[in-house]
Amino acid sequence: MPTVLAGVSRLDPERVRHIASPLIELGSALHVLAEPRHHGKTEWAEQVRATMPPELQRELAAWTWTVRAVRARFFATSSATGLPSWQDELAVLRSRAPEDVAAELVRPLRGRPLSTRTTDADAVRRWARSRGQAVAVLVESLLTDPADPVRRFLDLLDACWQGWFGELWAESRDQLAARGRQDRDRAVRDGLGVMLRSLDGSIAARDPDSVVVQKVQNKRIDLAERSILLVPSNFIAPHLFLGEIPGEPLTVIYPAAGGAAEVPTAQAIRSRLEALAGPDRLQICRAVASEPRTAGEIATIWGLNPTQVTRHLRALTRAGLVTAERQGRFVAYRLDEDAVRSIGTDLLDLVMR
C-alpha cells in the first residue's frame, strides 16, 4: 500500500532543486488555519485569527475549501528556485489567464490530475453544492465568469500577506532557504536515497534503487527521468506532501524542523486491526492484560475453546499486540500495553502522511 519512489540511484543530483516559496508556504499556512487541531497549532490559529479584521475572516471562510486536502497547482510546485519574493510570485499569478487559475482553484472538487486542462463542470457543481450554498455560488462564478472571483482570491492572498503572513515569512525565509540548500547539497554529496530518508520518518530504504514512503496510497513514481523540487515548510507537519504533476518535478514539501519518528507501515497497522477484530480477541486481550497467562488457563477461566484460544493468541502475537514467554513446559502470554496504546497514534501518523 505505500508509495514507492523508484530510480533514486539513477536520478542525477543536479536535477534536484530547492525553493523557499512564500506562495507554497502560505498555502500550507492556510491549510493549518482551516484544520489547526491535527497540526498541533490550535493556539497559533486562534492568535492569527484574532489579528484579522472581520471581513478578512469571512473571506477566508468562504475559500477554505480550496486549501484543505487537495491543493491548487500554484500551491504545489513552482518554476522558480532559491528564494523568490512574494511580489514576484503574486505577479506571476495575476498575469495568468483567469480561466487557468480558476481551473486550479476548483481542483479539490474535480478529482482530476493537476495537468488536466478540462474540467468536469457537472462534477464540480455537484461537490460544490455538498459544501453549502455559498460555496456553490462561488464555484459557479469560477466556472462561468472567472475574472472577478480569481481577482478576489488573489486579493485575499495579498491581504493575508499584508495582514499577518508577511511578518511570519520574514522570520522564517532564511531558515527555510538554508534547509533546502542543505538537503540539496546532501543529495549531491551522499546520494538521493540518503537525502530523502533524512527528510521524514515516513521515508525508508526499500532497495538500492528505491525508497518507500509510508502513505495510505499504493503508488509507484519513477524518478529516473524526472527532477525533484525540495520545499521545506514550517506548516506541513504532520503531513509529508508529494506533488506529482505530470511534466513537472516531483514536489516534496516536508517539515523543516525534521520529520517524526519512524512511521509504521500500512500492513502493520492493518494486521493489528485485523487481529483485534476477530471474535473473542478483545476478551483474550483482557485476559492477559493484568498478568501473564497460558492458553489453557484462559480457556478454563473464560470458558472458551482451548484450540481457538491458542489460535487467537498466535494471531495477536504475530500482530505484535501480545508477547509470549516460555516458562518451563508452559508458554505465558502478556498484553503489550504500549503496542495497543500506540494503535491510535500510529494510525493517525500513517493516515496524516
Side-chain angles (χ1 to χ4, degrees):
M1 183 173 283
T3 297
V4 175
L5 304 182
V8 297
S9 66
R10 292 170 284 140
L11 188 149
D12 185 346
E14 295 302 320
R15 298 209 307 273
V16 178
R17 294 193 293 119
H18 66 88
I19 188 173
S21 163
L23 180 59
I24 294 176
E25 186 74 337
L26 176 56
S28 295
L30 291 175
H31 172 83
V32 173
L33 275 180
E35 296 287 344
R37 187 169 60 87
H38 72 248
H39 290 267
K41 289 184 176 289
T42 301
E43 183 177 349
W44 172 83
E46 291 174 351
Q47 292 173 349
V48 170
R49 291 185 184 280
T51 67
M52 296 182 192
E55 59 270 21
L56 180 55
Q57 293 193 43
R58 287 193 294 270
E59 189 70 347
L60 269 178
W63 292 93
T64 294
W65 56 275
T66 66
V67 293
R68 288 188 182 270
V70 182
R71 303 181 181 212
R73 182 179 182 275
F74 51 76
F75 285 142
T77 191
S78 174
S79 60
T81 190
L83 188 55
S85 71
W86 168 253
Q87 291 74 21
D88 287 344
E89 291 197 311
L90 183 62
V92 169
L93 275 180
R94 291 196 187 279
S95 70
R96 295 180 56 191
E99 293 78 9
D100 288 346
V101 178
E104 292 188 22
L105 287 173
V106 301
R107 179 176 177 261
L109 305 174
R110 73 184 185 188
R112 288 175 175 263
L114 285 173
S115 64
T116 301
R117 291 295 182 180
T118 59
T119 297
D120 184 344
D122 290 339
V124 168
R125 289 185 174 99
R126 182 185 309 116
W127 304 129
R129 290 194 298 271
S130 74
R131 287 163 170 78
Q133 181 62 25
V135 173
V137 171
L138 181 55
V139 168
E140 184 64 27
S141 67
L142 285 167
L143 292 173
T144 58
D145 190 12
D148 184 65
V150 165
R151 177 195 53 75
R152 176 181 162 188
F153 180 79
L154 298 184
D155 286 347
L156 169 64
L157 296 185
D158 199 34
C160 290
W161 173 268
Q162 302 298 335
W164 56 274
F165 186 72
E167 183 177 348
L168 284 175
W169 180 252
E171 295 172 355
S172 62
R173 63 185 178 188
D174 292 339
Q175 168 242 344
L176 294 176
R179 176 64 197 268
R181 286 194 301 270
Q182 169 191 318
D183 292 324
R184 195 266 177 187
D185 291 345
R186 176 175 292 179
V188 174
R189 184 184 67 245
D190 301 330
L192 183 61
V194 172
M195 183 275 290
L196 288 172
R197 295 196 299 273
S198 73
L199 298 184
D200 189 76
S202 64
I203 305 177
R206 184 172 183 263
D207 55 53
D209 193 45
S210 63
V211 298
V212 60
V213 185
Q214 299 303 338
K215 296 178 76 71
V216 187
Q217 187 175 24
N218 193 6
K219 181 183 289 188
R220 178 184 174 87
I221 303 173
D222 193 344
L223 301 177
E225 301 301 325
R226 301 186 67 165
S227 55
I228 289 182
L229 179 63
L230 300 174
V231 188
S233 169
N234 287 327
F235 290 97
I236 198 67
H239 309 305
L240 176 77
F241 182 87
L242 299 179
E244 189 189 10
I245 305 169
E248 296 286 342
L250 176 70
T251 302
V252 184
I253 308 179
Y254 57 97
E262 183 178 351
V263 176
T265 67
Q267 179 58 47
I269 294 293
R270 192 164 51 243
S271 295
R272 295 184 216 171
L273 295 175
E274 289 172 351
L276 289 173
D280 297 325
R281 295 280 172 82
L282 290 178
Q283 190 171 2
I284 299 295
C285 287
R286 181 66 188 88
V288 296
S290 56
E291 62 177 308
R293 284 192 167 101
T294 66
E297 183 181 2
I298 295 169
T300 300
I301 294 176
W302 270 266
L304 300 172
N305 181 287
T307 301
Q308 290 299 319
V309 170
T310 299
R311 290 176 180 171
H312 291 326
L313 286 169
R314 287 175 178 170
L316 291 166
T317 302
R318 285 195 301 271
L321 299 172
V322 165
T323 60
E325 181 180 349
R326 180 164 291 281
Q327 298 177 355
R329 295 187 301 107
F330 300 98
V331 176
Y333 297 85
R334 180 74 183 258
L335 186 72
D336 188 328
E337 294 182 28
D338 291 337
V340 176
R341 185 178 293 113
S342 73
I343 290 177
T345 55
D346 279 356
L347 180 58
L348 190 60
D349 285 347
L350 176 64
V351 298
M352 284 300 179
R353 261 25 209 183

